[in-house]
Amino acid sequence: MKAIKAVKGTKDILPWEIPLWHQIETLCKELFASAGYQEIRTPVFEKTELFARGIGEFSDIVSKEMYTFQDMGGEWLTLRPEFTASVIRSYIQHHYYQRASLHKLWYFGPLFRQERPQAGRLRQFHQFGIELIGSEYPEADAEIITLACDFYKKIGLKDWELHINSIGNTKDRLNYIEVLKKSLTPYVDDLCPTCQDRFDKNILRLFDCKNELCQQILDTHAPKIIDYLSEKDKAHFEEVCEYLDLQNVPYQINSKLVRGLDYYTRTTFEIKSNHLGAQDALCGGGRYDNLVEELGGPSTPSIGFAAGVERLIMALEAEEKASVQLSPPDLYIAPIDNQAYKGIVKYCTHLRNQGFIIETDLLRRSVKAMMREANRKQARFVTVIGSEELNSGTLTLKHLETGQEYPVNWDNLGEFLEKTILPF
Ligand code: HAM
């Protein structure tokens, strides 16, 4: 019978890949907790309207990438394509603002976008990220951006760059869009078909185009959004940069960084890897000062970022930093027969309850094959158990690296492992 494969654009996270995923998750927990962020978990699907209103009807995500379906009651639902709208929905629904004026949240989980799969672009992928809800000040922007950079530093990634920009408030942006349209009108026919389509619907998306000619036209003829900011937003952006300078965080101001979701206001940023080709954004984020209000909550300035886990892993692999130490067994117990297996099970459970990693054979293998398996698993100690070891109350532990043997009483096994494992 023909075997069934995973759906295009989705991936198994294989058992031998899991240690790296655990390392990433642990770093999220530790780093974000160290700055006072609390974890939030939201449902995998939401009402379609949430994303349509939150991310923007004409954004690529909403207009063509969402997994949307009608449930049995006829309600339109969507598998979440991002976290921010869900987090803000939760913030409003549960009146977080009545508990405190500032909320710091982090998350980790799967997302779904019906994009054309390619290296670094999946249909089910994972993000971790943080949202800082309630502060309008540049200190908040600097904290978010610095935490994103700290994550990549701590995980050991070297070859990346921080790009930042400000796209101002809605009024200034509308004004900029008018100017941009006027400046580019003479060149519309030279743009690629996608950009021609975007010209009327969502002209800022032109900046995301990978077509060289489109980029040349923008470089030569597009005005810079930063020159159209209000005095207040310009001052805000300058202060964000000042905070980054104070912390020696290197950055590039990138006037084309307008981001693909419509909720952004003022600061936008991305961290790009130099190893990922076309899909080079490791993470992206920015301010979204109007989103809480647009989704029915009180006016609440906010900022956050989200990072792609699969892209991070690709970048770590490219920099050869993806190897993670597996936890080898502290002791591999090799029972010579089924009778011996019956004698050791209670010790296995007891030692596992004491926190040791204990493995034993479940395939009724020969002693030679069990020793091979203990070596393959890089167990610290191995012991072969037969009736003699069970009846006498003494067993012999062999340290696999040095070959040294240690006679130990069953009753003292935990104590011995505790004392002996550390010096090795
Ligand atoms: P985003 O730029 O759409 O932003 O996604 C953030 C990151 O998720 C990207 O930089 C990339 O690493 C990863 N990513 C996105 N799409 C895919 C895909 N199809 N396959 C693999 N990785 C992908 C957001 O999602 C915003 N919610 C970020 C944010 C949080 N802004 C404010 N707060």
PDB file of all heavy atoms in Angstrom, residues 61 82-84 107 113 115 120-122 125 127 130-131 259 261 263-264 270 281-286 288 304-308 310-311, ligand 1:
ATOM      1  N   ILE A  61      -1.322  38.056   4.068  1.00  0.00           N
ATOM      2  CA  ILE A  61      -1.770  36.979   4.974  1.00  0.00           C
ATOM      3  C   ILE A  61      -3.279  36.813   4.875  1.00  0.00           C
ATOM      4  O   ILE A  61      -3.783  35.712   4.647  1.00  0.00           O
ATOM      5  CB  ILE A  61      -1.349  37.277   6.442  1.00  0.00           C
ATOM      6  CG1 ILE A  61       0.167  37.290   6.577  1.00  0.00           C
ATOM      7  CG2 ILE A  61      -1.964  36.249   7.401  1.00  0.00           C
ATOM      8  CD1 ILE A  61       0.684  37.582   7.980  1.00  0.00           C
ATOM      9  N   GLU A  82      -0.736  34.146  12.938  1.00  0.00           N
ATOM     10  CA  GLU A  82       0.216  34.894  13.771  1.00  0.00           C
ATOM     11  C   GLU A  82      -0.372  34.984  15.178  1.00  0.00           C
ATOM     12  O   GLU A  82      -1.544  34.620  15.396  1.00  0.00           O
ATOM     13  CB  GLU A  82       0.470  36.289  13.196  1.00  0.00           C
ATOM     14  CG  GLU A  82      -0.761  37.166  13.156  1.00  0.00           C
ATOM     15  CD  GLU A  82      -0.634  38.438  13.979  1.00  0.00           C
ATOM     16  OE1 GLU A  82       0.457  38.985  14.090  1.00  0.00           O
ATOM     17  OE2 GLU A  82      -1.666  38.869  14.527  1.00  0.00           O
ATOM     18  N   PHE A  83       0.425  35.454  16.141  1.00  0.00           N
ATOM     19  CA  PHE A  83      -0.027  35.474  17.532  1.00  0.00           C
ATOM     20  C   PHE A  83      -0.597  36.814  17.994  1.00  0.00           C
ATOM     21  O   PHE A  83      -1.414  36.869  18.917  1.00  0.00           O
ATOM     22  CB  PHE A  83       1.157  35.176  18.469  1.00  0.00           C
ATOM     23  CG  PHE A  83       1.442  33.716  18.645  1.00  0.00           C
ATOM     24  CD1 PHE A  83       2.495  33.118  17.980  1.00  0.00           C
ATOM     25  CD2 PHE A  83       0.681  32.943  19.507  1.00  0.00           C
ATOM     26  CE1 PHE A  83       2.784  31.773  18.159  1.00  0.00           C
ATOM     27  CE2 PHE A  83       0.961  31.606  19.698  1.00  0.00           C
ATOM     28  CZ  PHE A  83       2.014  31.016  19.018  1.00  0.00           C
ATOM     29  N   THR A  84      -0.106  37.912  17.412  1.00  0.00           N
ATOM     30  CA  THR A  84      -0.388  39.222  18.015  1.00  0.00           C
ATOM     31  C   THR A  84      -1.887  39.490  18.149  1.00  0.00           C
ATOM     32  O   THR A  84      -2.361  39.897  19.218  1.00  0.00           O
ATOM     33  CB  THR A  84       0.308  40.337  17.200  1.00  0.00           C
ATOM     34  OG1 THR A  84       1.653  39.932  16.988  1.00  0.00           O
ATOM     35  CG2 THR A  84       0.289  41.671  17.930  1.00  0.00           C
ATOM     36  N   TYR A 107       5.222  34.006  24.097  1.00  0.00           N
ATOM     37  CA  TYR A 107       4.507  32.832  23.581  1.00  0.00           C
ATOM     38  C   TYR A 107       5.423  31.997  22.690  1.00  0.00           C
ATOM     39  O   TYR A 107       6.490  32.460  22.255  1.00  0.00           O
ATOM     40  CB  TYR A 107       3.260  33.260  22.793  1.00  0.00           C
ATOM     41  CG  TYR A 107       3.515  34.382  21.806  1.00  0.00           C
ATOM     42  CD1 TYR A 107       4.142  34.151  20.599  1.00  0.00           C
ATOM     43  CD2 TYR A 107       3.141  35.697  22.113  1.00  0.00           C
ATOM     44  CE1 TYR A 107       4.387  35.187  19.711  1.00  0.00           C
ATOM     45  CE2 TYR A 107       3.389  36.741  21.228  1.00  0.00           C
ATOM     46  CZ  TYR A 107       4.012  36.473  20.035  1.00  0.00           C
ATOM     47  OH  TYR A 107       4.272  37.492  19.159  1.00  0.00           O
ATOM     48  N   ARG A 113       0.118  29.310   7.559  1.00  0.00           N
ATOM     49  CA  ARG A 113      -0.055  30.255   6.444  1.00  0.00           C
ATOM     50  C   ARG A 113       0.058  29.457   5.158  1.00  0.00           C
ATOM     51  O   ARG A 113       1.034  28.722   4.964  1.00  0.00           O
ATOM     52  CB  ARG A 113       1.028  31.347   6.463  1.00  0.00           C
ATOM     53  CG  ARG A 113       0.922  32.272   7.647  1.00  0.00           C
ATOM     54  CD  ARG A 113       1.936  33.415   7.567  1.00  0.00           C
ATOM     55  NE  ARG A 113       2.013  34.111   8.851  1.00  0.00           N
ATOM     56  CZ  ARG A 113       2.861  35.071   9.152  1.00  0.00           C
ATOM     57  NH1 ARG A 113       3.730  35.486   8.243  1.00  0.00           N
ATOM     58  NH2 ARG A 113       2.864  35.635  10.349  1.00  0.00           N
ATOM     59  N   GLU A 115       1.276  29.566   2.225  1.00  0.00           N
ATOM     60  CA  GLU A 115       2.222  30.227   1.325  1.00  0.00           C
ATOM     61  C   GLU A 115       2.826  29.185   0.400  1.00  0.00           C
ATOM     62  O   GLU A 115       2.693  27.993   0.637  1.00  0.00           O
ATOM     63  CB  GLU A 115       3.342  30.871   2.136  1.00  0.00           C
ATOM     64  CG  GLU A 115       2.860  31.987   3.042  1.00  0.00           C
ATOM     65  CD  GLU A 115       4.007  32.790   3.609  1.00  0.00           C
ATOM     66  OE1 GLU A 115       4.485  33.682   2.906  1.00  0.00           O
ATOM     67  OE2 GLU A 115       4.410  32.534   4.743  1.00  0.00           O
ATOM     68  N   GLY A 120      12.788  27.796   4.256  1.00  0.00           N
ATOM     69  CA  GLY A 120      12.493  28.849   5.233  1.00  0.00           C
ATOM     70  C   GLY A 120      11.065  29.356   5.170  1.00  0.00           C
ATOM     71  O   GLY A 120      10.706  30.300   5.869  1.00  0.00           O
ATOM     72  N   ARG A 121      10.236  28.762   4.278  1.00  0.00           N
ATOM     73  CA  ARG A 121       8.832  29.189   4.226  1.00  0.00           C
ATOM     74  C   ARG A 121       7.949  27.949   4.250  1.00  0.00           C
ATOM     75  O   ARG A 121       7.934  27.176   3.299  1.00  0.00           O
ATOM     76  CB  ARG A 121       8.575  30.017   2.984  1.00  0.00           C
ATOM     77  CG  ARG A 121       7.288  30.808   3.093  1.00  0.00           C
ATOM     78  CD  ARG A 121       7.301  31.996   2.214  1.00  0.00           C
ATOM     79  NE  ARG A 121       7.142  31.585   0.832  1.00  0.00           N
ATOM     80  CZ  ARG A 121       7.136  32.410  -0.203  1.00  0.00           C
ATOM     81  NH1 ARG A 121       7.307  33.695  -0.014  1.00  0.00           N
ATOM     82  NH2 ARG A 121       6.965  31.972  -1.414  1.00  0.00           N
ATOM     83  N   LEU A 122       7.248  27.781   5.349  1.00  0.00           N
ATOM     84  CA  LEU A 122       6.429  26.585   5.549  1.00  0.00           C
ATOM     85  C   LEU A 122       4.966  26.977   5.674  1.00  0.00           C
ATOM     86  O   LEU A 122       4.637  28.150   5.847  1.00  0.00           O
ATOM     87  CB  LEU A 122       6.866  25.903   6.852  1.00  0.00           C
ATOM     88  CG  LEU A 122       8.265  25.285   6.825  1.00  0.00           C
ATOM     89  CD1 LEU A 122       8.790  25.119   8.228  1.00  0.00           C
ATOM     90  CD2 LEU A 122       8.224  23.946   6.106  1.00  0.00           C
ATOM     91  N   PHE A 125       4.439  26.499  10.643  1.00  0.00           N
ATOM     92  CA  PHE A 125       5.750  26.844  11.187  1.00  0.00           C
ATOM     93  C   PHE A 125       5.552  27.271  12.632  1.00  0.00           C
ATOM     94  O   PHE A 125       4.423  27.315  13.121  1.00  0.00           O
ATOM     95  CB  PHE A 125       6.411  27.942  10.338  1.00  0.00           C
ATOM     96  CG  PHE A 125       5.638  29.242  10.321  1.00  0.00           C
ATOM     97  CD1 PHE A 125       5.995  30.294  11.150  1.00  0.00           C
ATOM     98  CD2 PHE A 125       4.537  29.399   9.494  1.00  0.00           C
ATOM     99  CE1 PHE A 125       5.271  31.490  11.148  1.00  0.00           C
ATOM    100  CE2 PHE A 125       3.805  30.594   9.488  1.00  0.00           C
ATOM    101  CZ  PHE A 125       4.177  31.632  10.313  1.00  0.00           C
ATOM    102  N   GLN A 127       6.615  29.999  15.896  1.00  0.00           N
ATOM    103  CA  GLN A 127       7.187  31.277  16.313  1.00  0.00           C
ATOM    104  C   GLN A 127       7.299  31.301  17.832  1.00  0.00           C
ATOM    105  O   GLN A 127       6.503  30.673  18.526  1.00  0.00           O
ATOM    106  CB  GLN A 127       6.240  32.440  15.966  1.00  0.00           C
ATOM    107  CG  GLN A 127       6.271  32.924  14.555  1.00  0.00           C
ATOM    108  CD  GLN A 127       5.360  34.145  14.351  1.00  0.00           C
ATOM    109  OE1 GLN A 127       4.587  34.522  15.241  1.00  0.00           O
ATOM    110  NE2 GLN A 127       5.458  34.754  13.188  1.00  0.00           N
ATOM    111  N   ILE A 130       7.321  38.102  21.907  1.00  0.00           N
ATOM    112  CA  ILE A 130       6.842  38.802  23.103  1.00  0.00           C
ATOM    113  C   ILE A 130       5.997  40.005  22.705  1.00  0.00           C
ATOM    114  O   ILE A 130       6.154  40.568  21.616  1.00  0.00           O
ATOM    115  CB  ILE A 130       8.015  39.255  24.017  1.00  0.00           C
ATOM    116  CG1 ILE A 130       9.024  40.130  23.273  1.00  0.00           C
ATOM    117  CG2 ILE A 130       8.726  38.065  24.604  1.00  0.00           C
ATOM    118  CD1 ILE A 130      10.207  40.551  24.136  1.00  0.00           C
ATOM    119  N   GLU A 131       5.083  40.364  23.566  1.00  0.00           N
ATOM    120  CA  GLU A 131       4.259  41.555  23.365  1.00  0.00           C
ATOM    121  C   GLU A 131       4.305  42.364  24.659  1.00  0.00           C
ATOM    122  O   GLU A 131       4.122  41.811  25.748  1.00  0.00           O
ATOM    123  CB  GLU A 131       2.796  41.182  23.055  1.00  0.00           C
ATOM    124  CG  GLU A 131       2.593  40.163  21.928  1.00  0.00           C
ATOM    125  CD  GLU A 131       2.979  40.639  20.531  1.00  0.00           C
ATOM    126  OE1 GLU A 131       3.224  41.842  20.329  1.00  0.00           O
ATOM    127  OE2 GLU A 131       3.070  39.773  19.634  1.00  0.00           O
ATOM    128  N   ARG A 259       7.078  46.364   6.766  1.00  0.00           N
ATOM    129  CA  ARG A 259       6.415  45.198   7.347  1.00  0.00           C
ATOM    130  C   ARG A 259       5.084  44.880   6.645  1.00  0.00           C
ATOM    131  O   ARG A 259       4.417  45.739   6.127  1.00  0.00           O
ATOM    132  CB  ARG A 259       6.205  45.353   8.854  1.00  0.00           C
ATOM    133  CG  ARG A 259       7.484  45.660   9.609  1.00  0.00           C
ATOM    134  CD  ARG A 259       8.249  44.455  10.034  1.00  0.00           C
ATOM    135  NE  ARG A 259       7.472  43.583  10.879  1.00  0.00           N
ATOM    136  CZ  ARG A 259       7.417  42.254  10.703  1.00  0.00           C
ATOM    137  NH1 ARG A 259       8.092  41.678   9.741  1.00  0.00           N
ATOM    138  NH2 ARG A 259       6.693  41.530  11.506  1.00  0.00           N
ATOM    139  N   LEU A 261       2.204  43.481   7.832  1.00  0.00           N
ATOM    140  CA  LEU A 261       0.917  43.440   8.530  1.00  0.00           C
ATOM    141  C   LEU A 261       0.469  44.884   8.751  1.00  0.00           C
ATOM    142  O   LEU A 261       1.293  45.745   9.062  1.00  0.00           O
ATOM    143  CB  LEU A 261       1.059  42.688   9.866  1.00  0.00           C
ATOM    144  CG  LEU A 261       1.568  41.240   9.735  1.00  0.00           C
ATOM    145  CD1 LEU A 261       3.076  41.166   9.935  1.00  0.00           C
ATOM    146  CD2 LEU A 261       0.886  40.332  10.740  1.00  0.00           C
ATOM    147  N   TYR A 263      -1.167  46.459  11.002  1.00  0.00           N
ATOM    148  CA  TYR A 263      -1.390  47.108  12.299  1.00  0.00           C
ATOM    149  C   TYR A 263      -0.229  47.976  12.782  1.00  0.00           C
ATOM    150  O   TYR A 263      -0.335  48.669  13.786  1.00  0.00           O
ATOM    151  CB  TYR A 263      -1.774  46.103  13.392  1.00  0.00           C
ATOM    152  CG  TYR A 263      -0.928  44.851  13.551  1.00  0.00           C
ATOM    153  CD1 TYR A 263       0.434  44.900  13.844  1.00  0.00           C
ATOM    154  CD2 TYR A 263      -1.533  43.594  13.436  1.00  0.00           C
ATOM    155  CE1 TYR A 263       1.173  43.741  14.020  1.00  0.00           C
ATOM    156  CE2 TYR A 263      -0.786  42.422  13.617  1.00  0.00           C
ATOM    157  CZ  TYR A 263       0.554  42.502  13.908  1.00  0.00           C
ATOM    158  OH  TYR A 263       1.276  41.361  14.078  1.00  0.00           O
ATOM    159  N   TYR A 264       0.902  47.964  12.061  1.00  0.00           N
ATOM    160  CA  TYR A 264       2.073  48.662  12.601  1.00  0.00           C
ATOM    161  C   TYR A 264       1.944  50.180  12.569  1.00  0.00           C
ATOM    162  O   TYR A 264       1.351  50.753  11.661  1.00  0.00           O
ATOM    163  CB  TYR A 264       3.342  48.241  11.864  1.00  0.00           C
ATOM    164  CG  TYR A 264       3.740  46.822  12.191  1.00  0.00           C
ATOM    165  CD1 TYR A 264       3.672  45.820  11.239  1.00  0.00           C
ATOM    166  CD2 TYR A 264       4.152  46.486  13.468  1.00  0.00           C
ATOM    167  CE1 TYR A 264       4.022  44.513  11.546  1.00  0.00           C
ATOM    168  CE2 TYR A 264       4.497  45.184  13.786  1.00  0.00           C
ATOM    169  CZ  TYR A 264       4.424  44.202  12.829  1.00  0.00           C
ATOM    170  OH  TYR A 264       4.759  42.919  13.142  1.00  0.00           O
ATOM    171  N   GLU A 270      13.424  44.327  12.020  1.00  0.00           N
ATOM    172  CA  GLU A 270      13.622  42.926  11.646  1.00  0.00           C
ATOM    173  C   GLU A 270      15.074  42.558  11.926  1.00  0.00           C
ATOM    174  O   GLU A 270      15.952  43.415  11.855  1.00  0.00           O
ATOM    175  CB  GLU A 270      13.353  42.710  10.139  1.00  0.00           C
ATOM    176  CG  GLU A 270      11.900  42.405   9.861  1.00  0.00           C
ATOM    177  CD  GLU A 270      11.567  42.131   8.390  1.00  0.00           C
ATOM    178  OE1 GLU A 270      12.485  41.936   7.578  1.00  0.00           O
ATOM    179  OE2 GLU A 270      10.377  42.123   8.073  1.00  0.00           O
ATOM    180  N   ALA A 281      14.488  36.832   6.987  1.00  0.00           N
ATOM    181  CA  ALA A 281      14.058  37.448   8.250  1.00  0.00           C
ATOM    182  C   ALA A 281      13.960  36.405   9.354  1.00  0.00           C
ATOM    183  O   ALA A 281      13.164  35.480   9.290  1.00  0.00           O
ATOM    184  CB  ALA A 281      12.705  38.134   8.067  1.00  0.00           C
ATOM    185  N   LEU A 282      14.820  36.563  10.356  1.00  0.00           N
ATOM    186  CA  LEU A 282      14.763  35.657  11.509  1.00  0.00           C
ATOM    187  C   LEU A 282      13.600  36.055  12.405  1.00  0.00           C
ATOM    188  O   LEU A 282      12.916  35.222  12.976  1.00  0.00           O
ATOM    189  CB  LEU A 282      16.051  35.765  12.329  1.00  0.00           C
ATOM    190  CG  LEU A 282      17.285  35.103  11.755  1.00  0.00           C
ATOM    191  CD1 LEU A 282      18.526  35.583  12.494  1.00  0.00           C
ATOM    192  CD2 LEU A 282      17.163  33.586  11.863  1.00  0.00           C
ATOM    193  N   CYS A 283      13.399  37.354  12.544  1.00  0.00           N
ATOM    194  CA  CYS A 283      12.271  37.812  13.366  1.00  0.00           C
ATOM    195  C   CYS A 283      11.837  39.182  12.887  1.00  0.00           C
ATOM    196  O   CYS A 283      12.581  39.861  12.171  1.00  0.00           O
ATOM    197  CB  CYS A 283      12.658  37.848  14.840  1.00  0.00           C
ATOM    198  SG  CYS A 283      13.582  39.283  15.342  1.00  0.00           S
ATOM    199  N   GLY A 284      10.635  39.562  13.266  1.00  0.00           N
ATOM    200  CA  GLY A 284      10.134  40.867  12.859  1.00  0.00           C
ATOM    201  C   GLY A 284       9.154  41.376  13.894  1.00  0.00           C
ATOM    202  O   GLY A 284       8.510  40.593  14.594  1.00  0.00           O
ATOM    203  N   GLY A 285       9.073  42.677  13.988  1.00  0.00           N
ATOM    204  CA  GLY A 285       8.123  43.224  14.958  1.00  0.00           C
ATOM    205  C   GLY A 285       7.990  44.714  14.819  1.00  0.00           C
ATOM    206  O   GLY A 285       8.486  45.310  13.853  1.00  0.00           O
ATOM    207  N   GLY A 286       7.330  45.300  15.789  1.00  0.00           N
ATOM    208  CA  GLY A 286       7.158  46.742  15.777  1.00  0.00           C
ATOM    209  C   GLY A 286       6.026  47.166  16.685  1.00  0.00           C
ATOM    210  O   GLY A 286       5.409  46.353  17.381  1.00  0.00           O
ATOM    211  N   TYR A 288       2.342  48.730  17.565  1.00  0.00           N
ATOM    212  CA  TYR A 288       0.992  48.678  17.000  1.00  0.00           C
ATOM    213  C   TYR A 288       0.064  49.421  17.973  1.00  0.00           C
ATOM    214  O   TYR A 288      -0.734  48.846  18.678  1.00  0.00           O
ATOM    215  CB  TYR A 288       0.553  47.225  16.729  1.00  0.00           C
ATOM    216  CG  TYR A 288       0.772  46.254  17.867  1.00  0.00           C
ATOM    217  CD1 TYR A 288      -0.233  45.980  18.780  1.00  0.00           C
ATOM    218  CD2 TYR A 288       1.989  45.619  18.043  1.00  0.00           C
ATOM    219  CE1 TYR A 288      -0.030  45.093  19.834  1.00  0.00           C
ATOM    220  CE2 TYR A 288       2.199  44.732  19.089  1.00  0.00           C
ATOM    221  CZ  TYR A 288       1.184  44.480  19.976  1.00  0.00           C
ATOM    222  OH  TYR A 288       1.393  43.611  21.014  1.00  0.00           O
ATOM    223  N   GLY A 304       5.823  44.647  19.995  1.00  0.00           N
ATOM    224  CA  GLY A 304       6.246  43.258  20.185  1.00  0.00           C
ATOM    225  C   GLY A 304       7.046  42.769  18.999  1.00  0.00           C
ATOM    226  O   GLY A 304       7.293  43.504  18.038  1.00  0.00           O
ATOM    227  N   PHE A 305       7.482  41.528  19.098  1.00  0.00           N
ATOM    228  CA  PHE A 305       8.125  40.893  17.945  1.00  0.00           C
ATOM    229  C   PHE A 305       7.834  39.404  17.965  1.00  0.00           C
ATOM    230  O   PHE A 305       7.435  38.854  18.999  1.00  0.00           O
ATOM    231  CB  PHE A 305       9.656  41.121  17.956  1.00  0.00           C
ATOM    232  CG  PHE A 305      10.427  40.156  18.819  1.00  0.00           C
ATOM    233  CD1 PHE A 305      10.835  38.915  18.323  1.00  0.00           C
ATOM    234  CD2 PHE A 305      10.740  40.470  20.128  1.00  0.00           C
ATOM    235  CE1 PHE A 305      11.545  38.020  19.118  1.00  0.00           C
ATOM    236  CE2 PHE A 305      11.446  39.579  20.936  1.00  0.00           C
ATOM    237  CZ  PHE A 305      11.840  38.348  20.423  1.00  0.00           C
ATOM    238  N   ALA A 306       8.001  38.764  16.813  1.00  0.00           N
ATOM    239  CA  ALA A 306       7.895  37.299  16.747  1.00  0.00           C
ATOM    240  C   ALA A 306       9.026  36.777  15.874  1.00  0.00           C
ATOM    241  O   ALA A 306       9.442  37.430  14.902  1.00  0.00           O
ATOM    242  CB  ALA A 306       6.547  36.877  16.182  1.00  0.00           C
ATOM    243  N   ALA A 307       9.504  35.574  16.227  1.00  0.00           N
ATOM    244  CA  ALA A 307      10.661  34.992  15.543  1.00  0.00           C
ATOM    245  C   ALA A 307      10.328  33.606  15.038  1.00  0.00           C
ATOM    246  O   ALA A 307       9.677  32.829  15.721  1.00  0.00           O
ATOM    247  CB  ALA A 307      11.839  34.919  16.518  1.00  0.00           C
ATOM    248  N   GLY A 308      10.788  33.290  13.841  1.00  0.00           N
ATOM    249  CA  GLY A 308      10.552  31.976  13.259  1.00  0.00           C
ATOM    250  C   GLY A 308      11.533  30.950  13.831  1.00  0.00           C
ATOM    251  O   GLY A 308      12.742  31.173  13.796  1.00  0.00           O
ATOM    252  N   GLU A 310      11.881  27.650  12.820  1.00  0.00           N
ATOM    253  CA  GLU A 310      12.527  26.857  11.763  1.00  0.00           C
ATOM    254  C   GLU A 310      13.654  27.655  11.106  1.00  0.00           C
ATOM    255  O   GLU A 310      14.716  27.108  10.798  1.00  0.00           O
ATOM    256  CB  GLU A 310      11.504  26.425  10.703  1.00  0.00           C
ATOM    257  CG  GLU A 310      10.542  25.328  11.144  1.00  0.00           C
ATOM    258  CD  GLU A 310       9.361  25.821  11.960  1.00  0.00           C
ATOM    259  OE1 GLU A 310       9.308  27.034  12.255  1.00  0.00           O
ATOM    260  OE2 GLU A 310       8.484  25.014  12.318  1.00  0.00           O
ATOM    261  N   ARG A 311      13.419  28.960  10.921  1.00  0.00           N
ATOM    262  CA  ARG A 311      14.477  29.780  10.309  1.00  0.00           C
ATOM    263  C   ARG A 311      15.667  29.914  11.242  1.00  0.00           C
ATOM    264  O   ARG A 311      16.819  29.930  10.807  1.00  0.00           O
ATOM    265  CB  ARG A 311      13.933  31.167   9.966  1.00  0.00           C
ATOM    266  CG  ARG A 311      13.058  31.092   8.758  1.00  0.00           C
ATOM    267  CD  ARG A 311      12.789  32.453   8.186  1.00  0.00           C
ATOM    268  NE  ARG A 311      11.623  32.343   7.327  1.00  0.00           N
ATOM    269  CZ  ARG A 311      10.994  33.367   6.794  1.00  0.00           C
ATOM    270  NH1 ARG A 311      11.428  34.596   7.027  1.00  0.00           N
ATOM    271  NH2 ARG A 311       9.951  33.184   6.027  1.00  0.00           N
TER     272      ARG A 311
HETATM  273  P1  HAM B   1       5.932  38.126  10.644  1.00  0.00           P
HETATM  274  O1  HAM B   1       7.021  38.984  10.047  1.00  0.00           O
HETATM  275  O2  HAM B   1       4.797  37.771   9.784  1.00  0.00           O
HETATM  276  O3  HAM B   1       5.443  38.892  11.940  1.00  0.00           O
HETATM  277  O4  HAM B   1       6.571  36.788  11.211  1.00  0.00           O
HETATM  278  C1  HAM B   1       7.649  36.805  12.109  1.00  0.00           C
HETATM  279  C2  HAM B   1       8.680  35.734  11.746  1.00  0.00           C
HETATM  280  O5  HAM B   1       8.032  34.462  11.594  1.00  0.00           O
HETATM  281  C3  HAM B   1       9.377  35.948  10.413  1.00  0.00           C
HETATM  282  O6  HAM B   1      10.451  36.867  10.543  1.00  0.00           O
HETATM  283  C4  HAM B   1       9.860  34.549  10.100  1.00  0.00           C
HETATM  284  O7  HAM B   1      11.060  34.260  10.811  1.00  0.00           O
HETATM  285  C5  HAM B   1       8.745  33.678  10.635  1.00  0.00           C
HETATM  286  N1  HAM B   1       7.811  33.269   9.554  1.00  0.00           N
HETATM  287  C6  HAM B   1       6.801  33.965   9.014  1.00  0.00           C
HETATM  288  N2  HAM B   1       6.164  33.267   8.047  1.00  0.00           N
HETATM  289  C7  HAM B   1       6.815  32.078   7.967  1.00  0.00           C
HETATM  290  C8  HAM B   1       6.635  30.893   7.175  1.00  0.00           C
HETATM  291  N3  HAM B   1       5.662  30.785   6.271  1.00  0.00           N
HETATM  292  N4  HAM B   1       7.484  29.852   7.364  1.00  0.00           N
HETATM  293  C9  HAM B   1       8.482  29.933   8.282  1.00  0.00           C
HETATM  294  N5  HAM B   1       8.684  31.020   9.084  1.00  0.00           N
HETATM  295  C10 HAM B   1       7.860  32.070   8.924  1.00  0.00           C
HETATM  296  C11 HAM B   1       4.444  38.461  12.746  1.00  0.00           C
HETATM  297  O8  HAM B   1       3.969  37.361  12.717  1.00  0.00           O
HETATM  298  C12 HAM B   1       4.036  39.493  13.794  1.00  0.00           C
HETATM  299  N6  HAM B   1       2.947  38.939  14.579  1.00  0.00           N
HETATM  300  C13 HAM B   1       5.224  39.860  14.662  1.00  0.00           C
HETATM  301  C14 HAM B   1       4.880  40.829  15.752  1.00  0.00           C
HETATM  302  C15 HAM B   1       4.662  40.527  17.056  1.00  0.00           C
HETATM  303  N7  HAM B   1       4.718  42.124  15.610  1.00  0.00           N
HETATM  304  C16 HAM B   1       4.386  42.656  16.771  1.00  0.00           C
HETATM  305  N8  HAM B   1       4.339  41.692  17.660  1.00  0.00           N
END
